[in-house]
Every structure is written in C-alpha cells, then in structure tokens.
Amino acid sequence: MKYYITLSAFLLSFCSAAATTYVPAVTDSSLPTPQQVLGFQVGEWHARHDQIQRYFEQLAAASGRAQLEVIGYTHEQRPLLQMIISSEQNLQRLDQIRQQHIAAARRGEELSSDAPVIIWLGYSVHGNEPSGANAAVLLAQYLAAADNDEVRNWLNNAVILLQPTLNPDGHDRFALWANMHKGASPVADPQHREHNEPWPNGRPNHYWFDLNRDWLLLQHPESRARIAQYQQWLPNVVGDYHEMGTNSSYFFQPGIPSRNYPLTPKRNFELTSALAKYHAAALDQAGQLYYTEESFDDFYIGKGSTYPDIQGSVGILFEQASSRGHLQDSINGPLSFSATIQNQLTTSLSTIRGAVEKRRELLSYQQEFYKSALQQAKNSKVKGYILTESADQTRLAALLDVLQRHHVEVYQLSRDWQDDNEKYPAFNSYYVPLQQPQYRLIKAMFSTEKNFPDNTFYDVSAWTLPHAYNISFDTVNREPAQSGLTETWQSRPAEPAMLPTGAYAYAFSWQDQQAPLLLHALLTEKLVVRSAMANFTALSGNGEVSLPAGTMVIAAGLQQQTDWFDRLQRIQQRFSLPVYAINSGLTPQGSDLGSNNFAVVNLPKVLLMAGPGINSTEAGEVWYNLERLAGVSPSMAEPQQLKQLDLTRYSHIVLPDGNYNNWRDSEVGLLKQWLDNGGVLWGHKRGAAWLAQTGLLKADVWQGAEMSSLIPGNDLSYKDKELLAGKQRIAGAIYQAELDLSHPLTFGLTRTTLPVFKNSTFLLQPSGFPFVNVALYSAAPQLAGYTAPEYVPRISQSAVLLAHNVGKGRVIAMSDNPVFRGYFYGSSRLLVNALYLGSSFSTAIN
C-alpha cells in the first residue's frame, strides 16, 4: 500500500508539473470542473467520448445555462451529444426561439429585434483530430460558468449548439491508441509509435468512412442525426474544427477564393472574411501563427464547412496543426496537445464573439438568402426536375429519403404527365420543384456542370444524386398541374401479402434493391434457389406474369427442409417485395422451370482484403455495402496473411483499391489454384490493375503515367505547377457506361446506360475476346464534373467491367469503385451480382 501511495504521489506531481493554464480560465465557480470529473486536466490525456459525455452530463445538471441532448447513436452505439448553451431566459423559451428563427429565415416572417443568432460549433468529425473535442470541454465549462459581461451578452444574444464529438467511434479508436503509448515523459519524436497509428487509424467511423464527406450523402447514423438538428435549427454560423499536418500552423477560412461553389452568394464570403478578423485578432493576441486563403476550398457541398453555405449559413473551416499524440516535434518547435487545444478554444470563442457582434447582419443575410432563392427560382427557365423509376422502388425511395432529410419538397405524380415528347407515368414519377426554399441546394444536388473557372479541386467535382442512384431524371420548363400532384413524399413501405400454399414454385424479380437481401435471407435458411438466365413468362393464380432475367425461383420440388414453406413465408413478410406463386413448371414463354437456364445460386462466403496497403476508405465502402445491399458480412484479412489462409472457406475474394505489389508468385499461385477450383475473384481500381499485371485478368491497362503524358508539362513556368497537377488528375467525376444487359452481371439493371464514379486515371483496355466486355464507357462518357479534354477520348475507348473464366472460376475487374462513398446505389449492383451470379456466366478465353 505504501508503494501504491508513493507512486500515486509521484504521478500526481508529474501531472501537476505538466499542468497547462488555458485562457480564458474559469475561477470561483460552483460548477464541476473538467479535472474533477475526468480525473485529469484537459490535455494531460486524450479524453474518451464517455468521459466527455460524463462531464457534459454533470455540467448540464448543475448549470441553468446548458441543456444536453442525445440526438442519435453511432454504429457502435455511442451516443451523439448536443449541448445547447444560452441564457436561462432563452432556454426557457427555446422551442419558441427555434420556430421563430425558422419562420423568419425560410418563410420571410418578421424577426424580432432581439432575436438571438444561432451558432453551431462541431468538433472532431475526424476521430484522430482530437484537439477540437477536448477544447469543447473547456468551452462548455467557460460558457456555463464564466461570470463576466461579455459572456452574459453572448448568452443573451445567441443560442450556441455545441457538438463535442461528431465521430465518437473514430475518436475513441484514436484516444485509446494515443493513451496506451503515453510515457511518464512525453516523447516528441515523430517516429515514435504514438504518432503513427495503425491501419485504418482513427480518422473514419466504424465502417472506415470519412464522415466529413457525408453531410450531403447521409449514409450513416452520425450524419443523419447531425443533419436532422441542422435542419431543425438552421444556424447562422457553423464552426467546423479539424486538424492538419504537424508542420503546419493554423488555418481558418476564407479559403482559396477561386474555388468557392458558384451558387454560394458573394455576401457569404464577405461575412466569412469579416468573421476572420475576429479569429486573427484573437490569435494575434496569443502570438500564434496562422494563415488564410492558401489552402482548402468551399466547392464540394457535402463537407461540414460548405454544406451550410448553400443554405444561408456561414460555414467556417478551422484547421489546427496536429500533435497526433501528446507532444511532437515540428518545424515550428515542439507541438503539445494542450497547445492545439488552446488554439481551438481561442477560435471557438472568437467565432462566438464575431457572430454576436455581427448578429443583425447574419440574421438579415439568412433571410435575404432564402428570399433571393425564391426569386431566382421564379425567374428560372427551369421549373424543376422529374425523377422516374419503375423497376426498383427501393432504390428510388432511398434517393427520395435523402432529399426529404434535407427538407427538399418532392411530389408524386398522381396521373400521367407529358412534357414535350417525354411521358412520365403516374406513381413512378416524382416532381422536385425549384420554387421552394432549398432552391440552391436542389440545383447543387442535380448539377451536371462540367466546366469551372478553377479546375483544381480539394475534393470531388461532381456528386449528382440521381446519377448516383441510377434514377432517370429530366429538367422541365413547366410545372405539372397541382391537381396531378400528391402531397410531399413520405416513405410508406408496402405490406407484403400472405403467400398461397401448394404452388409449384415461388418467384421474385431481381430488379429491386431489396431482392439481394431477400435472397440472402432465403439462402441462410437453406432454401434452394435458382436464377433465370433470361426473361420468361410463368402461370400464376392471377394469370400470366412476365418475369425478367435474374428472377429468383424457389421450386417446391427442390426443397430439402420439411418446413421450407414456413421459412419462406416468414422471411417474405420482412420485405415489401411481391413474391409470385407459380402453378406450373411449363412456361408460356421462355425456358421451363426445370431448364438448365435456371442457374444454381449459393450463399456467398466472401473474403475482403483489408489491412495495411489497402485503401481503408474503399475497403470500408465495400464492407458497408456488402452488408447493407447484399446481406453479406465478409471475412476480412490483411494481404500479408494470404498464404496463411484456408481459401477453400471462401466462394469470393474481393480486392479493393490498394497496393498488392508485395504479393509474389506464391500468392498468385494460391489464387490461381483457388480460381481453378471455382472461386470468383473481384478487383477494382488498383486491385484490377494487379489482376492484369499478374495475368489472372487477360487484359491490358492504361496507368496514370500514360494518362498524364497526354497533358504535357513542357513550356510551363513554375507557377503553373499546381494548375498542371489539377488538370492531370481526375479528382472525382461521373461518367456513363454502356451495359450488356444480357450478361448476368448486369441483371436487375433495366437501362443500357449506367452512371459510374471515377476518381483515378486508371483505365482498363477493352478485351478483344468475345463476351468479356460487360460494360464499356460511352462514346461521350462525361456526365458531370471536370475532366481534362485530353482525357475524354481515351476514356471513351476504355472498359468499365471485364469478366471471364479462369479454370472453373471467374475473374471480374472494374476500373472504378462501384460503391463510392456508399451512395452509388446504381453501380453497386455490379458488385452484388458478382456475389450471387458470378458463377452463372461462362466466358472462356483460349
């Protein structure tokens, strides 16, 4: 016991010696301090999310200035927190303030002279950028406890929404790593293990997604919870707190002026610059280095600092040089974790100070933003967009759900409508009018722009939502009659009907996005299923029913389980898909049900390569989409483990984008043997390139260097270096593929064209062998986003998807990522088909 007390005293003295005094400090407060609740001073350790939560709970319970809400949960079931801080008087009428604020902004109602400004401060959306989350603890304490005229003025004139950890799962992954490597004395060596996280690191969420790219796409619960609050509150200012490289200083917007999104009003950038003076003054007083206008941009509207700009808020990106641990050497000297926290606290306070002083201007700007949006919509030749999809209501509903979460009004056509020569069927067509408050956001969501004043992009240059969901859409220059429109769209899943007993077989179409999930559930329950290799017509109790290629058939005569029908009935009730009872194996058209043109379908057992050397984001996107869209939870293994794995356990192996050059002849031999025995091997991007390099894929490629050579850099001056680099890369654009709809890998898709996303210059050359080219780029492939004109002809000569036999197995290669950021539902079907139909085609190469 004596040893324990002595050691504790030593550690306490060490901590006290390393103590940091943050500015401003709270003195003489009865409220709990972070140190009292956490057990350490902020910055001594990396606070976990549960520790931050505990402090926020105790602070809110003790303070009349703060209310704490749990607004959602992460994939790992950590609560997403939002603390609302304002004066006690404001908190007592909080919902009234919110409703009046929304009414004034979006409906133009009169705003009272004392209306508070709404300030949103969000921290650490990237989990390994923890200075913001830890600064949020100090900020909450200061705002709740400080007793001075400035803070009282802030709280009387502002409602502050504070979200301390936007990515709790990633935050805790990093906090545990940094804390487990902390020594008695901090080690500043950049090569120290503490400063070098293992794959996939703490930046992404549970599924390895970058949540700062998901504000628009809303594929994850963290984003949906965040946007629900954003749309409820419509803040005037949004602070988005990040970290960057250790050898940097501190950045705050404005960013590079030529790279702002065109639909963002000029007044937004003027207000950003006005608020920047407050940050500069605060950092000047602290003697801290900083810069503006030289990095980052405000183009992609799916980021935390840009999403607000397209909706009447002023979004501001803050980037602090990262200590990536507790202390690290940098070109500017030793950088401590506490110093990074201090800077984030400083600019959090300067944001509040500036927003309160500019309160009237910010409120007026937001009102004018929506007023001018409605006027621009009124003056626009384009009146709106029509979305149409008949075969896949689930995929359409997924897009409509995203629009609804962004408060975009969508109306169903209740009767057929025609615009010029285009006919739009009732109930399968939806109208998105531009004459609504979200005019600018809608224009951005549907944009197909290809030319920009500045062609250098920090992120993607295209994100067209209908293209991502493979939903047909048209601009219309007149509006459908109001009498032909239903109320704003709401998701109403169809109630599945009970199946009649005693049928010869049961069948469901492969076209709906739910079909793979239904199939997986059936296969898991050991039902025997066959897939139609061509269209056919069957006899049902209600007459003939036409069923497309890919249709899944459960024939009674093949079932091995005595209670198979009960299992089918139980599973079918979980899905809103029609299942047809077929009365005879003799079909009026197409193959009879006993034909070999109904291929065997097996439950896939998938190995996904995931680990060092693999693009963690793209591996995570595959993992997430296999689970969500195919029902398959893959096994995951690191590439260096391949020789130790029993590959006979797997029917499929997926190679996402990554570096496979450490695999030698022995690994190639293992995969070749596994293919010879019937495996299905999928690779995309660098995974596809490696397959071609080893000869497992019989195809040639065009690599990045060959593409870059199409844009020569000679005769350029040094100042053109960045311009050339921007032209030579494909930052992210959408292209059109032409499909062979008779190929099983395209079953379920109904149009001969398919939008695909491309963010690399890697290209597959078309095969000279017949039946290998499943998808080729169109002759005019560019749908949206920037591409150097020199690249377009080469892209138009390239292949998107190739597939052929290797022994009894199949190799399938795609030039692009089919599941980009989780929202490319259209092209994701190619990967899903590879799981369930990958063995159903045969293309031998001699």
Side-chain angles (χ1 to χ4, degrees):
M1 179 64 72
K2 182 178 180 180
Y3 172 79
Y4 174 80
I5 294 173
T6 304
L7 179 60
S8 298
F10 167 76
L11 291 175
L12 182 61
S13 66
F14 166 74
C15 292
S16 300
T20 299
T21 301
Y22 291 101
V23 179
V26 176
T27 58
D28 302 325
S29 172
S30 61
L31 297 180
T33 68
Q35 189 164 1
Q36 289 171 339
V37 177
L38 302 178
F40 55 87
Q41 188 188 45
V42 171
E44 287 182 291
W45 296 88
H46 285 254
R48 300 187 311 271
H49 176 70
D50 64 290
Q51 295 172 316
I52 294 172
Q53 178 185 357
R54 186 165 68 249
Y55 178 69
F56 272 51
E57 288 172 344
Q58 294 191 24
L59 183 65
S63 172
R65 296 178 177 180
Q67 292 183 6
L68 183 63
E69 303 173 336
V70 174
I71 61 173
Y73 291 86
T74 69
H75 286 292
E76 296 177 13
Q77 295 306 298
R78 290 182 175 87
L80 296 161
L81 306 177
Q82 177 172 271
M83 177 172 275
I84 303 177
I85 303 177
S86 192
S87 67
E88 292 188 37
Q89 294 80 4
N90 284 341
L91 291 181
Q92 290 171 4
R93 61 184 189 97
L94 193 61
D95 195 58
Q96 179 187 2
I97 289 174
R98 185 189 66 79
Q99 291 187 37
Q100 290 176 344
H101 177 76
I102 295 296
R106 286 191 170 146
R107 297 196 294 273
E109 296 183 12
E110 185 175 352
L111 195 63
S112 62
S113 59
D114 62 348
V117 64
I118 311 300
I119 304 169
W120 171 301
L121 303 175
Y123 299 91
S124 302
V125 72
H126 296 140
N128 62 358
E129 300 177 3
S131 57
N134 286 265
V137 173
L138 297 172
L139 177 65
Q141 179 203 15
Y142 181 72
L143 294 176
D147 186 22
N148 59 59
D149 290 341
E150 183 178 47
V151 171
R152 281 192 292 272
N153 178 56
W154 289 352
L155 300 185
N156 286 333
N157 289 283
V159 172
I160 301 165
L161 310 175
L162 198 162
Q163 295 190 0
T165 43
L166 297 175
N167 177 10
D169 293 349
H171 174 89
D172 277 8
R173 192 182 312 128
F174 177 73
L176 292 170
W177 176 262
N179 289 336
M180 71 183 285
H181 291 97
K182 181 184 178 184
S185 297
V187 178
D189 179 4
Q191 299 179 97
H192 177 45
R193 185 171 166 82
E194 178 183 4
H195 308 305
N196 296 277
E197 302 167 78
W199 190 100
N201 72 47
R203 178 184 176 92
N205 76 341
H206 172 78
Y207 282 100
W208 312 333
F209 276 65
D210 184 337
L211 289 178
N212 197 43
R213 303 299 186 269
D214 198 43
W215 286 68
L216 177 69
L217 312 179
L218 302 185
Q219 299 303 299
H220 295 275
E222 300 93 334
S223 306
R224 296 185 200 116
R226 183 171 66 248
I227 294 308
Q229 290 299 313
Y230 180 93
Q231 294 298 340
Q232 284 187 34
W233 277 102
L234 201 62
N236 299 101
V237 173
V238 172
D240 184 27
Y241 292 84
H242 291 256
E243 293 182 10
M244 55 184 170
T246 304
N247 290 323
S248 302
S249 58
Y250 197 90
F251 170 87
F252 52 86
Q253 286 179 319
I256 298 174
S258 62
R259 299 177 192 169
N260 295 322
Y261 192 65
L263 292 176
T264 304
K266 180 181 177 182
R267 180 62 175 151
N268 174 286
F269 306 120
E270 293 172 352
L271 288 168
T272 301
S273 296
L275 292 173
K277 294 178 181 178
Y278 291 87
H279 314 317
L283 292 171
D284 284 345
Q285 185 176 6
Q288 295 297 309
L289 296 175
Y290 60 88
Y291 71 100
T292 66
E293 296 189 326
E294 295 179 24
S295 298
F296 307 102
D297 64 33
D298 259 335
F299 191 84
Y300 171 50
I301 66 164
K303 296 184 300 185
S305 60
T306 312
Y307 178 83
D309 291 342
I310 205 71
Q311 297 179 90
S313 305
V314 176
I316 303 173
L317 172 67
F318 298 92
E319 293 273 358
Q320 162 66 47
S322 180
S323 64
R324 283 292 188 271
H326 293 86
L327 182 71
Q328 187 172 172
D329 290 333
S330 77
I331 62 172
N332 297 315
L335 178 62
S336 69
F337 184 36
S338 58
T340 69
I341 294 170
Q342 176 65 72
N343 283 344
Q344 302 284 40
L345 175 62
T346 297
T347 56
S348 296
L349 294 168
S350 64
T351 300
I352 298 171
R353 181 177 295 114
V356 170
E357 292 192 19
K358 298 290 182 183
R359 176 178 65 91
R360 292 183 181 273
E361 293 175 57
L362 289 163
L363 291 169
S364 296
Y365 165 68
Q366 194 171 59
Q367 277 195 312
E368 179 56 33
F369 177 93
Y370 285 104
K371 181 180 177 181
S372 64
L374 292 172
Q375 186 60 49
Q376 288 181 32
K378 183 178 180 180
N379 297 338
S380 173
K381 179 181 178 182
V382 174
K383 298 306 177 186
Y385 303 92
I386 296 285
L387 301 164
T388 304
E389 174 60 42
S390 300
D392 190 346
Q393 292 300 303
T394 301
R395 182 160 39 87
L396 175 60
L399 171 58
L400 297 178
D401 179 69
V402 170
L403 297 178
Q404 180 196 53
R405 290 178 186 274
H406 291 294
H407 285 217
V408 171
E409 299 167 16
V410 183
Y411 301 90
Q412 187 182 51
L413 296 187
S414 58
R415 60 172 181 252
D416 292 348
W417 186 67
Q418 184 167 338
D419 184 50
D420 293 331
N421 296 323
E422 292 295 327
K423 296 180 179 180
Y424 302 101
F427 308 115
N428 291 323
S429 300
Y430 292 81
Y431 177 55
V432 182
L434 284 175
Q435 189 67 37
Q436 58 175 299
Q438 292 289 51
Y439 163 78
R440 290 188 178 92
L441 179 62
I442 296 166
K443 290 279 287 184
M445 288 172 161
F446 285 76
S447 174
T448 56
E449 188 61 56
K450 300 172 188 154
N451 298 300
F452 310 93
D454 188 333
N455 292 320
T456 303
F457 299 93
Y458 177 73
D459 201 80
V460 300
S461 62
W463 51 84
T464 318
L465 292 187
H467 282 330
Y469 286 84
N470 191 27
I471 300 297
S472 176
F473 75 105
D474 292 313
T475 59
V476 292
N477 297 330
R478 66 186 184 93
E479 295 188 298
Q482 289 293 319
S483 59
L485 299 175
T486 63
E487 61 188 27
T488 300
W489 177 84
Q490 296 288 333
S491 178
R492 297 184 181 89
E495 290 291 331
M498 297 297 290
L499 294 177
T501 60
Y504 180 87
Y506 299 87
F508 59 92
S509 170
W510 189 241
Q511 293 176 335
D512 193 275
Q513 196 84 57
Q514 289 189 64
L517 299 175
L518 173 54
L519 174 63
H520 184 271
L522 295 173
L523 295 174
T524 301
E525 287 285 339
K526 303 188 184 307
L527 273 76
V528 180
V529 184
R530 297 287 187 264
S531 179
M533 292 293 100
N535 300 345
F536 70 101
T537 300
L539 297 173
S540 73
N542 296 320
E544 292 185 3
V545 56
S546 296
L547 294 165
T551 291
M552 297 296 164
V553 177
I554 306 102
L558 291 176
Q559 305 310 314
Q560 305 299 313
Q561 308 294 322
T562 57
D563 63 343
W564 69 270
F565 180 78
D566 291 336
R567 298 185 188 200
L568 171 62
Q569 184 90 275
R570 184 177 66 252
I571 294 168
Q572 178 258 348
Q573 290 296 304
R574 290 161 38 194
F575 299 90
S576 55
L577 286 182
V579 176
Y580 302 96
I582 298 175
N583 296 332
S584 174
L586 186 66
T587 61
Q589 294 182 27
S591 296
D592 297 327
L593 298 193
S595 166
N596 286 337
N597 281 328
F598 287 85
V600 173
V601 181
N602 293 314
L603 186 68
K605 298 177 181 178
V606 180
L607 173 64
L608 170 64
M609 302 315 301
I614 303 299
N615 183 325
S616 61
T617 298
E618 297 206 5
E621 289 163 358
V622 171
W623 174 21
Y624 186 51
N625 279 272
L626 290 185
E627 290 194 337
R628 185 175 54 159
L629 302 180
V632 174
S633 292
S635 298
M636 293 184 281
E638 298 180 358
Q640 57 265 37
Q641 294 179 310
L642 186 68
K643 287 192 290 188
Q644 285 76 50
L645 301 177
D646 176 8
L647 297 185
T648 63
R649 296 178 62 92
Y650 311 112
S651 60
H652 293 69
I653 297 176
V654 177
L655 310 183
D657 183 55
N659 183 351
Y660 297 92
N661 290 331
N662 288 331
W663 280 355
R664 302 303 181 194
D665 290 346
S666 56
E667 284 87 355
V668 175
L670 284 172
L671 290 173
K672 177 65 165 59
Q673 181 181 7
W674 175 80
L675 280 165
D676 285 340
N677 291 328
V680 177
L681 180 59
W682 168 289
H684 62 257
K685 294 177 71 174
R686 285 183 292 168
W690 183 84
L691 291 174
Q693 174 188 327
T694 59
L696 293 174
L697 174 72
K698 303 301 181 183
D700 293 321
V701 303
W702 286 302
Q703 296 278 25
E706 297 170 86
M707 293 290 288
S708 297
S709 67
L710 299 175
I711 307 173
N714 51 318
D715 298 329
L716 295 178
S717 59
Y718 187 78
K719 66 180 177 59
D720 298 320
K721 182 180 179 181
E722 187 177 11
L723 179 65
L724 176 63
K727 195 174 182 181
Q728 287 180 332
R729 67 189 285 251
I730 298 177
I734 302 172
Y735 301 84
Q736 181 169 270
E738 300 279 351
L739 305 179
D740 176 0
L741 289 181
S742 70
H743 198 288
L745 291 178
T746 68
F747 285 175
L749 297 168
T750 58
R751 292 190 290 159
T752 57
T753 59
L754 176 69
V756 295
F757 192 87
K758 189 168 193 63
N759 60 352
S760 78
T761 54
F762 167 72
L763 292 169
L764 289 166
Q765 296 185 29
S767 175
F769 294 99
F771 319 123
V772 173
N773 298 315
V774 181
L776 302 171
Y777 286 105
S778 300
Q782 190 178 3
L783 291 175
Y786 174 71
T787 303
E790 294 89 341
Y791 284 168
V792 175
R794 178 63 56 84
I795 293 173
S796 69
Q797 300 164 6
S798 304
V800 175
L801 189 71
L802 304 176
H804 61 72
N805 296 21
V806 175
K808 296 179 182 178
R810 311 290 187 272
V811 62
I812 306 169
M814 188 168 177
S815 61
D816 308 301
N817 177 7
V819 291
F820 178 73
R821 289 186 178 167
Y823 82 119
F824 258 73
Y825 275 45
S827 55
S828 69
R829 176 50 72 96
L830 300 173
L831 178 57
V832 171
N833 283 354
L835 299 190
Y836 292 108
L837 302 172
S839 297
S840 64
F841 70 90
S842 181
T843 304
I845 294 182
N846 298 323

